[in-house]
Amino acid sequence: MTKNVRVRFAPSPTGPLHIGGVRTALFNYLFAKKHNGTFILRIEDTDQNRYVEGAEQYIVDALNWCGMPADESPVNLGNYGPYRQSERKEIYKKYAEELIASGNAYYAFDTAETLDFHRKDHEAKGKTFIYNWHNRLKLKNALSLSADEVNAKLEAGEDYVIRFKSPQDETLHLKDSIRGDIKIDTNILDDKVLFKSDGMPTYHLANIVDDHLMEISHVIRGEEWLPSLALHYQLYTAFGWEAPEFAHLPLILKPTGKGKLSKRDGDKLGFPVFPLEWKDPKTEEVSRGYKEDGYFPEAMVNFLAFLGWNPGTEQEIFSLEELINSFDLERVNKSGARFDPDKIKWFNHHYMQEQTNDKLSEAFKALRPELSDIDVNYIEMVIALVKERATFISDFWDLSHFFFTAPTSYDEKASKKAFKEGTKDILKEVVSIVNSTEDFSVESLQTNIKGWITTNNIGFGKVMMPLRLALVGALQGPDVFDIMFMIGKLESVSRIERVIDIL
């Protein structure tokens, strides 16, 4: 790629960053790093009415947690700032006036009430109101009014907007890196508002001006922006600027595959749709986050990479570095990607196995107050025995509580299965063997108990099932001899004798 690659992720700080936004940021990040380029975070906060306190910091924190910090951003300044649109608003009026001077835009003075009347009138007739070539001369704007009338209105301080003048009877030939060539008939396009008399630009003008001034080479964004592509191309042409390359990513669909994934889907089916926990500053409602739910950032990134992209091989596990090396926009699909909450759990289970036991033991200890006085090295040994069965750190307690506390009850169904006539005598013999085992190691316990079973021709289940039940309280857990070694001789005997007493 000959030109310097510069991409931007440009969210609005109107609330927590949706998982779809994280996927868009990821694809931008991967593309930039693949081509030794720059990944920019630009905050599009021109609509101050929708601004939510804390949302911008949330976006920064989410990107950092995923391991993809921006090279340039409001907190990591580069040479193309400011990186908040609200701090750039003085820039945009000049460009709006430039479009007026070149005949590509015009002042419009229609009131909200007038436009609302036209919309409702069209709806009543089964039509859609579009402000463009076919009716603009019948409306109140610089194309239907004289120059003196326009100047008088501007000098009087009347409210106005600046609209783009969409051409008539033309066919636009647009190119999208994912969707290929797109043809658009300009007769169906409306004259979009670019600027308002309060001094604020709309998304369309600010977006194009900022992308140009920041030398953005590729615009990689969600397909919800595809309807804006025609206007954006026309704006680049009107300014005489070279347009960046565009790529519109497929939607992330509900787990059913029907419709766009929403927060409601997560609430209904029990999974988060935000990377981090979010507390609404007004309602104080708390929304779950993947981080707080126990997901590893590596699992999140690996999972999101496959929502709309595939490497063309059978490989599914990718580190961030491997994703960077493999990523290619040509392998991004056009069709929507179904969100599978079970698949991200599968990824999390994989990355759980790659975590070091010492790191997991510290996290587990911090999670459970019952472990505050337990030596972290002992916890680490326990985790080594149960990690294979865990998907989340929060799973560890259910998988290992019997290493820390003796059972106070016994699974009823398992008890009926394990405790038979003669079980009491068998367990008394096991106590005797355990007490006489000098070298209290896994190997010695295994040799002594299994040797006794074999010598006396007893079925293994008659011994091992009640023994496990005595130690654990249920027919679960790792190898019985590992459990006995870990809890020690005295505790092993104590637990077996307790079962003998209640049999």
Side-chain angles (χ1 to χ4, degrees), residues 385 389 403 442 446 450 464 468 471 476-485:
L385 294 172
R389 298 173 183 85
F403 283 104
V442 172
Q446 197 169 27
K450 283 189 174 181
M464 303 307 288
R468 179 177 293 280
L471 298 170
Q476 69 172 77
D479 188 90
V480 163
F481 304 111
D482 283 321
I483 297 171
M484 293 174 75
F485 168 72

Side-chain angles (χ1 to χ4, degrees), residues 107 173 409 416 420:
Y107 291 105
H173 294 270
S409 61
K416 288 177 181 177
K420 306 286 187 185

